[in-house]
Amino acid sequence: MTPGRRAAVATPRSLSSMMKTPLLLLAATALVLAGCGAPGHHAADPLKWERVVPAGDCNCADGSKFNFWEHRADPAKVVFFLNGGGVCWDAASCAFTSDGSPGESELYDWNLQNTNPDNRGGMFDVTRADNPFAGYSFLYVSSCTGDAHLGNASQAYSPELTVEHRGYANGTAALDHLAKHYPNAKEIVVVGKTAGSIAAPIYGGLVADRLPDAKVTVFGGQSGAWPDNPDFNTDVLDKAWGAYDTMPGWAVQGLTARQWGVPRFWNRAGRHNADLVLSRFDFAYDPHAAVEISGWEPGDSPSVDTVPGFDELAVIDANEKAVEATGTDLHSYTAPGEGHGLFEFETFYKLKVQGVRLTDWLDTLLHDKPPADVHCDPCDP
C-alpha cells in the first residue's frame, strides 16, 4: 500500500499557520493580547498566556522541548484546546524541512520554535459577550509530533531521520497539569481543531478519569470525514505512531489494531463514560479536512483538492451513523460548503445553519440539555 500525501503546493495551511508569530514573542513568559473592540464586546480582559514547560520526557518530533500555554481565569470552567499541527508517517512526510516558518513543513509542525497562541479572534476573543467560552480558563496544547496527539514511539524512518511521535506523552502531561491546578473544576470542555479533534474524544475520557466530578464536554471540529480504514489503522495508528499500545484499556478493549479506527474513538469514549457530552462540527465539503489521509479515502488520487469519487459529506454522515448505532449520542453541527477556518475567525460568530447560530448551539450544549443536531440542506458549496 502507498499512503497518500498532501501535494506540496502553495495553499493555506489547514492546521496551525494562523498561530505563527515572530520568534521574539516566545522569549516572554506571559503574552498579553489586545481585544478587537468590535460591537458585542464588553469589559472583560483579553487573554493573557503563560508558557508551561512540563517535566519528564516530553518532546517534539525533532527531540526539542515541548510546551503548552495557559490562560488562568475561572478555575471552575476550563477549555482544554487540542490544536492541529498536521500528521506524518514516513521519511518523506516527516522530514524536518521548512518551506515557510521554522519548524513547520507543508505537512506538519515538527517543533514549536515559532508557534504561539497569539489569538485575538473567534473563540479566543473572550472580551465578546456572545462568546460561549468567555470567562473560562484555557490550556492550549499544540501538536509538534505529527501524530494527532496520539503517538508514543521513537520512529527511525531512515538512517538520517528519527521522529519522536510523543503526542500522547505531551498531551497527558498537559492533562496532569489540568488535574493538579484545577482540581475543583466543574466544567471542562475538550475542544479539538482539525487533526487535534481526532483525539478529542479520547482526551475527553481521560479528563473524566482524572476529574470525575466535572461535567466534561467534547467538541471536535473538522475530522468527521476521517475514515475507519483497516490499513490506516494498522500502518499509521499502530505501527508508525505506536498509539494502539499506548491507549488506556477502555479505548481499545475487544478491538485489534486493524479494527481500532478514528470514528470508533467516539463510541469508545461514550461507552467508557456515559456522562460525557460528545459533539462534532464539520463543513460538508472542506477540501482540507481529510487531505492528509486521502490515500485511504474511497476515491482516486491524493491531492489538496477534493479526491475524485470521494463524497466527503457521505463519509461524515456515515461515520456519525456508525457511532450512534453503538448507542453513543454524538451531537453534531454540519455546515454547508467548502469552509475551513472556524475557531480563530469571525466565522465562529457569524455561522448560522437552518436558522441556528453556532454560538447559540454551543451555549445550549454547554449549559442546558444537548440541542438537536443541525445539518445543512442543501449542503453544496
Side-chain angles (χ1 to χ4, degrees), residues 7 55 69 90 94 134 156 170 177 196 202 211 218 258 267 294-295 298 300 338 343 353 357:
W69 290 267
D90 59 19
C94 291
N170 296 345
H177 181 91
I202 299 292
L211 296 169
V218 178
R258 189 171 177 81
N267 59 50
S294 55
D300 299 314
E338 296 179 332
F343 291 108
V353 177
R357 288 170 58 92

Side-chain angles (χ1 to χ4, degrees), residues 177-311:
H177 181 91
L178 169 69
K180 179 178 179 180
H181 293 277
Y182 300 89
N184 299 314
K186 300 301 181 186
E187 298 178 35
I188 301 173
V189 187
V190 178
V191 178
K193 171 192 168 186
T194 56
S197 69
I198 295 163
I202 299 292
Y203 279 81
L206 294 170
V207 169
D209 290 343
R210 286 165 167 77
L211 296 169
D213 294 330
K215 176 188 176 182
V216 181
T217 302
V218 178
F219 183 54
Q222 299 159 269
S223 65
W226 280 56
D228 184 4
N229 183 296
D231 291 331
F232 178 82
N233 299 345
T234 55
D235 293 352
V236 177
L237 295 177
D238 182 27
K239 294 178 183 177
W241 296 351
Y244 177 79
D245 289 333
T246 298
M247 290 297 112
W250 57 261
V252 297
Q253 186 176 17
L255 298 175
T256 65
R258 189 171 177 81
Q259 296 169 322
W260 187 66
V262 171
R264 282 194 170 92
F265 296 176
W266 294 98
N267 59 50
R268 288 279 133 174
R271 289 176 58 179
H272 174 59
N273 191 316
D275 292 330
L276 286 175
V277 179
L278 301 173
S279 61
R280 50 146 282 264
F281 168 87
D282 285 282
F283 289 105
Y285 295 104
D286 178 351
H288 301 285
V291 66
E292 296 94 338
I293 56 163
S294 55
W296 289 279
E297 296 283 14
D300 299 314
S301 59
S303 168
V304 293
D305 300 317
T306 303
V307 178
F310 167 48
D311 187 337

Side-chain angles (χ1 to χ4, degrees), residues 9-371:
V9 298
T11 61
R13 293 202 65 225
S14 62
L15 301 171
S16 64
S17 60
M18 298 301 172
M19 309 305 161
K20 304 300 174 187
T21 58
L23 186 59
L24 289 176
L25 288 179
L26 288 180
T29 301
L31 303 176
V32 181
L33 308 181
C36 297
H41 290 227
H42 58 83
D45 292 332
L47 292 180
K48 297 179 181 179
W49 294 106
E50 181 177 350
R51 185 170 54 178
V52 181
V53 181
D57 188 20
C58 294
N59 299 302
C60 290
D62 64 343
S64 61
K65 289 298 294 182
F66 165 78
N67 61 260
F68 58 93
W69 290 267
E70 179 177 24
H71 165 72
R72 291 189 67 88
D74 188 341
K77 300 187 297 183
V78 186
V79 171
F80 188 85
F81 185 81
L82 293 167
N83 192 27
V87 293
C88 72
W89 46 76
D90 59 19
S93 61
C94 291
F96 300 146
T97 58
S98 291
D99 34 66
S101 299
E104 67 171 71
S105 71
E106 279 295 315
L107 287 159
Y108 82 121
D109 295 347
W110 42 271
N111 70 33
L112 296 174
Q113 64 176 301
N114 205 38
T115 302
N116 210 310
D118 187 12
N119 300 295
R120 297 179 172 89
M123 67 174 286
F124 301 99
D125 184 0
V126 294
T127 69
R128 291 189 63 133
D130 54 347
N131 186 344
F133 303 110
Y136 281 66
S137 296
F138 282 75
L139 293 180
Y140 187 106
V141 184
S142 275
S143 174
C144 60
T145 53
D147 57 24
H149 304 277
L150 290 168
N152 190 25
S154 182
Q155 195 65 259
Y157 288 112
S158 76
E160 296 78 28
L161 180 66
T162 296
V163 174
E164 300 298 329
H165 288 302
R166 302 295 184 183
Y168 188 79
N170 296 345
T172 52
L175 284 183
D176 292 341
H177 181 91
L178 169 69
K180 179 178 179 180
H181 293 277
Y182 300 89
N184 299 314
K186 300 301 181 186
E187 298 178 35
I188 301 173
V189 187
V190 178
V191 178
K193 171 192 168 186
T194 56
S197 69
I198 295 163
I202 299 292
Y203 279 81
L206 294 170
V207 169
D209 290 343
R210 286 165 167 77
L211 296 169
D213 294 330
K215 176 188 176 182
V216 181
T217 302
V218 178
F219 183 54
Q222 299 159 269
S223 65
W226 280 56
D228 184 4
N229 183 296
D231 291 331
F232 178 82
N233 299 345
T234 55
D235 293 352
V236 177
L237 295 177
D238 182 27
K239 294 178 183 177
W241 296 351
Y244 177 79
D245 289 333
T246 298
M247 290 297 112
W250 57 261
V252 297
Q253 186 176 17
L255 298 175
T256 65
R258 189 171 177 81
Q259 296 169 322
W260 187 66
V262 171
R264 282 194 170 92
F265 296 176
W266 294 98
N267 59 50
R268 288 279 133 174
R271 289 176 58 179
H272 174 59
N273 191 316
D275 292 330
L276 286 175
V277 179
L278 301 173
S279 61
R280 50 146 282 264
F281 168 87
D282 285 282
F283 289 105
Y285 295 104
D286 178 351
H288 301 285
V291 66
E292 296 94 338
I293 56 163
S294 55
W296 289 279
E297 296 283 14
D300 299 314
S301 59
S303 168
V304 293
D305 300 317
T306 303
V307 178
F310 167 48
D311 187 337
E312 182 177 340
L313 180 60
V315 175
I316 292 170
D317 290 344
N319 283 344
E320 179 168 339
K321 184 178 180 180
V323 170
E324 295 198 323
T326 68
T328 298
D329 288 331
L330 180 55
H331 311 288
S332 62
Y333 191 110
T334 307
E338 296 179 332
H340 183 70
L342 176 68
F343 291 108
E344 309 93 347
F345 302 99
E346 190 67 16
T347 304
F348 183 74
Y349 298 99
K350 291 184 176 180
L351 192 60
K352 180 186 286 189
V353 177
Q354 301 293 334
V356 181
R357 288 170 58 92
L358 174 64
T359 50
D360 293 338
W361 187 86
L362 278 171
D363 191 69
T364 302
L365 183 80
L366 295 174
H367 302 123
D368 296 310
K369 293 182 179 179

